[in-house]
Amino acid sequence: MIALIDMDLVVFRSAISAEKDELSIAIHRAHTLLDNLIKKTEATEYRAFLSHPSNFRKDILPTYKANRTAPKPKHLAKLREYAVENMGAEISREGLEADDELAIHQTDETIIVTLDKDLLQVAGQHFSWEIKGKKWKRPDKFFFQTELEGLRLFYEQCIKGDNADNVIGIKGLGDKKAKQMLANCQTELEMFRIVQPLYADDEKFIKNAICLHMKRTLEDNWRDKFEQLQKQAGSKGLEDTQEEFSIS
């Protein structure tokens, strides 16, 4: 089994935990976390990805992640460099986030290792490690995602948006309503027929979807996917969707 590790999270969490300490403490914690992830997943190999400094999504939607204004941990830049030089970490290809590389490389022989819920769009094996706060704890979790449920998660995000990434969805529709609207869908086309009419502007839908979608290949272009699905969907107006699901 090959572990596909979200190294952005490994270095970020290690760096922020050592904010009052020396770089050596952050390095030690990053090594410890990486070793634990490999042991817990029983991986025989691993690939660890860091996001590229450029991000194609910001070219599509300039406001993408623009809400992340907090100062970065003081050791983060040095720890990224160290991870590449000493821990086998790889910088993602130009314009890609670590998430994209994890999704592109996922196969029947790999397991995605991350805390990021967005990766559950991708079918296959997943592992999220234990995290905890003062009064809460989320335990280790292994999960197998199906293609259908991964698609459902993606289209739910298209409805409700993603506050963490500053992608604004449909006003008045949150997580509960998004799940309700797509609960009975058994194909991607059914989901598309529900979500597209909710957007008064197809271009906004396309831009949101491009930013929310995890690439599966380098050439993956959700604009092309939109055109394919639109042809298959035929015409179903906004009024039809509103009759089924009140968006007031």
Side-chain angles (χ1 to χ4, degrees):
M1 181 65 67
I2 302 171
L4 302 175
I5 296 174
D6 186 342
M7 203 64 177
D8 281 347
L9 282 173
V10 172
V11 297
F12 183 87
R13 294 181 69 83
S14 300
I16 202 167
S17 73
E19 195 69 2
K20 297 181 180 180
D21 301 302
E22 299 298 319
L23 174 61
S24 60
I25 300 299
I27 289 172
H28 172 74
R29 289 175 179 168
H31 274 292
T32 300
L33 178 53
L34 180 62
D35 289 346
N36 285 339
L37 295 178
I38 294 168
K39 289 176 183 176
K40 287 180 177 182
T41 56
E42 299 183 351
T44 54
E45 302 175 49
Y46 75 89
R47 295 188 70 178
F49 292 99
L50 293 162
S51 293
H52 191 274
S54 66
N55 191 323
F56 82 92
R57 290 176 174 85
K58 292 184 178 180
D59 295 331
I60 302 296
L61 196 66
T63 54
Y64 180 73
K65 292 188 176 181
N67 55 335
R68 300 191 182 186
T69 57
K72 290 181 170 30
K74 66 179 183 180
H75 297 311
L76 184 60
K78 289 290 186 183
L79 192 53
R80 277 175 59 94
E81 292 176 12
Y82 179 90
V84 172
E85 294 170 3
N86 300 282
M87 300 176 71
E90 306 171 51
I91 301 294
S92 298
R93 284 165 286 189
E94 184 175 0
L96 298 186
E97 298 182 48
D99 291 357
D100 294 304
E101 293 285 13
L102 299 182
I104 288 169
H105 286 90
Q106 177 81 316
T107 70
D108 292 341
E109 304 300 323
T110 63
I111 181 168
I112 289 176
V113 182
T114 184
L115 300 174
D116 191 339
K117 67 185 186 311
D118 297 343
L119 265 300
L120 289 175
Q121 290 180 25
V122 183
Q125 299 183 78
H126 292 258
F127 174 71
S128 62
W129 63 92
E130 180 184 292
I131 54 174
K132 57 186 176 182
K134 289 183 178 179
K135 296 183 178 181
W136 60 273
K137 181 170 76 171
R138 194 176 78 184
D140 291 344
K141 183 177 181 181
F142 286 91
F143 188 80
F144 184 84
Q145 181 66 298
T146 66
E147 190 71 34
L148 179 63
E149 292 309 314
L151 285 167
R152 200 185 314 278
L153 175 62
F154 165 68
Y155 282 99
E156 287 173 1
Q157 289 178 308
C158 288
I159 294 173
K160 66 185 180 181
D162 188 331
N163 291 334
D165 290 342
N166 204 34
V167 178
I168 309 302
I170 304 300
K171 184 177 181 181
L173 298 181
D175 184 64
K176 184 177 180 180
K177 193 68 171 181
K179 289 183 184 303
Q180 175 192 347
M181 294 176 78
L182 301 179
N184 296 321
C185 294
Q186 295 302 310
T187 67
E188 181 174 15
L189 186 56
E190 290 177 47
M191 299 179 205
F192 180 83
R193 281 178 168 152
I194 289 172
V195 176
Q196 184 199 7
L198 298 175
Y199 282 84
D201 179 357
D202 279 346
E203 189 61 22
K204 182 181 178 183
F205 177 27
I206 293 167
K207 288 182 177 181
N208 277 5
I210 290 172
C211 290
L212 294 167
H213 185 253
M214 298 291 105
K215 279 183 172 286
R216 305 302 199 275
T217 68
L218 276 179
E219 297 76 24
D220 197 353
N221 185 337
W222 206 85
R223 187 178 293 276
D224 294 339
K225 184 71 170 180
F226 173 88
E227 292 174 357
Q228 294 168 10
L229 288 166
Q230 189 175 43
K231 287 178 182 177
Q232 295 174 47
S235 58
K236 180 173 182 180
L238 178 60
E239 296 81 5
D240 298 326
T241 301
Q242 287 178 327
E243 284 180 8
E244 286 185 66
F245 305 102
S246 170
I247 61 173
S248 60

